[in-house]
Amino acid sequence: MKLHCMIQDALLLLLLSGCVGVLETSAIDLRTFTGCAVREFTFLAKKPGCKGLRVTTDACWGRCKTWEKPVLEPPYIESYHRICTYNETKMMMVKLPKCAPDVDPFYTYPMAIRCDCDICSTTTTECETA
């Protein structure tokens, strides 16, 4: 087996086992990927009194293992839910164009440094409950 194939296989194994935090999208089939990774994301930064600005940043993306099973005692269900969420971020700032004179033109947003499958924390994430 060629050395570069062995290295690619080793890196893929590390990524799938959760040891690597950054997802190289060209090496993984995103339709079947299970895990959490940093991925490039573009959004429209806007606020009242300013024009919008397209911003490209890094965000968390992925699918985490989750399950539920019935049990005979209250609360009658045992569950394990993890979401793909930010583990480490860096705050970034851009200046929005054409803001009204009384509007602060600066817009702050988080950039993902590291992402993990973890419980949903309402302090940083909008969590849905059944």
Side-chain angles (χ1 to χ4, degrees):
M1 182 178 261
K2 295 181 182 175
L3 180 60
H4 75 277
C5 291
M6 289 173 42
I7 292 171
Q8 284 178 338
D9 290 344
L11 287 173
L12 181 60
L13 182 61
L14 283 173
L15 179 64
L16 293 176
S17 68
C19 296
V20 176
V22 178
L23 173 66
E24 182 61 44
T25 57
S26 63
I28 298 294
D29 182 355
L30 298 178
R31 293 169 295 170
T32 58
F33 174 74
T34 300
C36 186
V38 176
R39 188 169 183 212
E40 192 173 85
F41 175 74
T42 301
F43 70 98
L44 184 63
K46 58 184 177 178
K47 65 181 180 179
C50 297
K51 292 281 189 183
L53 177 69
R54 287 206 177 280
V55 175
T56 299
T57 187
D58 289 331
C60 295
W61 181 92
R63 201 175 298 127
C64 302
K65 291 184 179 182
T66 183
W67 54 262
E68 289 183 344
K69 67 180 179 180
V71 291
L72 297 175
E73 293 114 26
Y76 304 108
I77 194 162
E78 182 182 344
S79 61
Y80 179 87
H81 295 282
R82 296 293 183 260
I83 63 162
C84 180
T85 189
Y86 296 90
N87 186 298
E88 183 180 349
T89 60
K90 177 180 178 183
M91 295 309 289
M92 305 298 288
M93 185 182 295
V94 293
K95 187 175 182 180
L96 298 177
K98 300 180 181 172
C99 292
D102 60 332
V103 176
D104 177 12
F106 293 100
Y107 182 91
T108 305
Y109 62 94
M111 180 180 79
I113 303 296
R114 198 170 77 231
C115 304
D116 290 308
C117 289
D118 204 350
I119 59 170
C120 191
S121 169
T122 55
T123 59
T124 59
T125 308
E126 198 172 307
C127 304
E128 288 186 26
T129 57

